[in-house]
């Protein structure tokens, strides 16, 4: 899937721009744990409507370093400016993938972790109380001795997507992508948000990552703009795609 995404990015033609008009950035969206690329569908539809090209990169969910390398391959296939968008665990992935990429003009954290060097998703999620994710997880042993983590299907709606219609949440539960447990504990390297403008959006009713954690990270990163969606769940890109797309466009159009 990643190779297809990269090939699509490389072969996609940018519409000719009138003389003197700046080319719009390409939006690269990176899903997190327990989700997959189609979670961005409604956001992409909004972005496309407004003239932005968007690519939902496949995130293998194996380790921060290797997942960032996979996203970096997509970035290298794109000419021109890029806005990187990461949901949840996709936050550490875009933070790492942006390092050394001069064409990444902004980072957008969608209910996402924005780690400092040495921090992991696990250490950040425990920084403030409020997450109920631990009790909802289903570990599955892997042949290499590691574990993959899923959210139990019967708990998925309440835990991950409480403000998404039940029928849609049921489909999301059935198509969720597992994450390697070790990936959540892997320390991040250089924090690219220190040199690249960042933006943040999250829901006040997030049960995966405590809103207090996301507020802390946005303030620490001196986010250009932070949007808190009242009552939104962790799946804010599904339940509130218009607000998410609007923030991405703010990041893309900033000078």
């Amino acid at each position: 899937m990643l190779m297809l995404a990269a090939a699509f990015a490389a072969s996609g033609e940018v519409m000719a721009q009138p003389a003197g008009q700046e080319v719009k950035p390409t939006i690269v969206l990176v899903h997190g744990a327990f989700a997959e690329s189609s979670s961005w569908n409604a956001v992409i539809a909004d972005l496309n409507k407004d003239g932005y090209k968007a690519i939902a990169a496949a995130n293998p969910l194996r380790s921060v370093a290797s997942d960032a390398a996979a996203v970096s391959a997509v970035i290298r296939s794109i000419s021109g400016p890029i806005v990187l968008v990461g949901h949840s665990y996709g936050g550490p992935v875009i933070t790492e993938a942006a390092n050394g990429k001069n064409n990444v003009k902004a980072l957008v954290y969608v209910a996402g972790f924005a780690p400092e060097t040495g921090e992991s998703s696990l250490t950040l999620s425990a920084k403030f109380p409020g997450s109920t994710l631990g009790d909802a997880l289903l570990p599955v042993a892997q042949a290499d001795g590691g574990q993959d983590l899923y959210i139990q299907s019967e708990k998925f709606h309440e835990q991950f997507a409480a403000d998404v219609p039940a029928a849609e949440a049921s489909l999301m539960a059935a198509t969720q992508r597992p994450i390697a447990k070790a990936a959540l504990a892997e320390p991040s390297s250089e924090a690219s948000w220190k040199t690249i403008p960042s933006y943040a959006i999250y829901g006040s009713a997030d049960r995966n990552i405590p809103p207090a954690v996301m507020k802390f990270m946005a303030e620490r990163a001196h986010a250009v703009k932070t949007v808190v969606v009242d009552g939104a769940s962790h799946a804010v890109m599904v339940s509130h795609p218009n607000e998410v797309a609007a923030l991405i466009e703010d990041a893309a159009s900033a000078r």
Side-chain angles (χ1 to χ4, degrees):
M1 184 179 291
L2 176 60
M3 292 178 65
L4 288 174
F8 174 78
S11 62
E13 294 183 359
V14 177
M15 293 178 63
Q17 300 288 320
Q21 183 172 327
E22 194 172 328
V23 175
K24 288 186 173 183
T26 298
I27 314 300
V28 177
L29 305 124
V30 180
H31 67 82
F34 321 118
E36 38 88 37
S37 293
S38 68
S39 61
W40 295 112
N41 281 357
V43 174
I44 291 171
D46 269 12
L47 293 171
N48 288 167
K49 181 182 65 179
D50 292 335
Y52 289 93
K53 178 179 177 180
I55 298 169
N59 186 357
L61 304 176
R62 299 296 88 193
S63 78
V64 174
S66 64
D67 296 341
V71 172
S72 291
V74 176
I75 294 172
R76 288 193 297 271
S77 73
I78 300 170
S79 61
I82 291 172
V83 171
L84 275 181
V85 183
H87 173 247
S88 194
Y89 165 82
V93 174
I94 66 167
T95 301
E96 174 67 22
N99 283 316
K101 310 299 191 305
N102 294 330
N103 59 332
V104 175
K105 68 170 292 181
L107 303 169
V108 182
Y109 294 93
V110 179
F113 292 111
E116 173 63 281
T117 302
E119 290 179 336
S120 70
S121 298
L122 282 180
T123 58
L124 279 168
S125 64
K127 194 170 186 68
F128 293 93
S131 176
T132 57
L133 178 61
D135 292 337
L137 291 174
L138 173 66
V140 175
Q142 295 301 298
D144 62 3
Q147 285 187 336
D148 266 359
L149 299 177
Y150 294 82
I151 294 179
Q152 298 170 44
S153 58
E154 66 273 17
K155 295 182 178 180
F156 189 95
H157 188 192
E158 180 180 3
Q159 177 62 44
F160 192 87
D163 59 343
V164 173
E168 185 174 3
S170 179
L171 292 174
M172 292 170 64
T175 58
Q176 66 175 295
R177 294 273 310 283
I179 187 166
K181 182 179 180 180
L184 295 176
E186 182 178 340
S188 292
S189 63
E190 186 177 349
S192 58
W193 47 260
K194 291 182 177 179
T195 56
I196 301 173
S198 66
Y199 297 73
I201 182 170
Y202 59 90
S204 67
D206 195 312
R207 294 174 183 172
N208 272 33
I209 306 174
V213 173
M214 291 183 282
K215 180 177 186 290
F216 163 78
M217 292 185 293
E219 290 178 349
R220 179 177 64 178
H222 303 290
V224 176
K225 184 176 182 180
T226 300
V227 176
V228 182
V229 183
D230 188 39
S233 70
H234 192 58
V236 64
M237 70 288 190
V238 178
S239 59
H240 293 272
N242 302 138
E243 290 93 329
V244 172
L247 183 64
I248 294 170
E249 292 185 17
D250 283 348
S253 61
R255 296 187 182 277

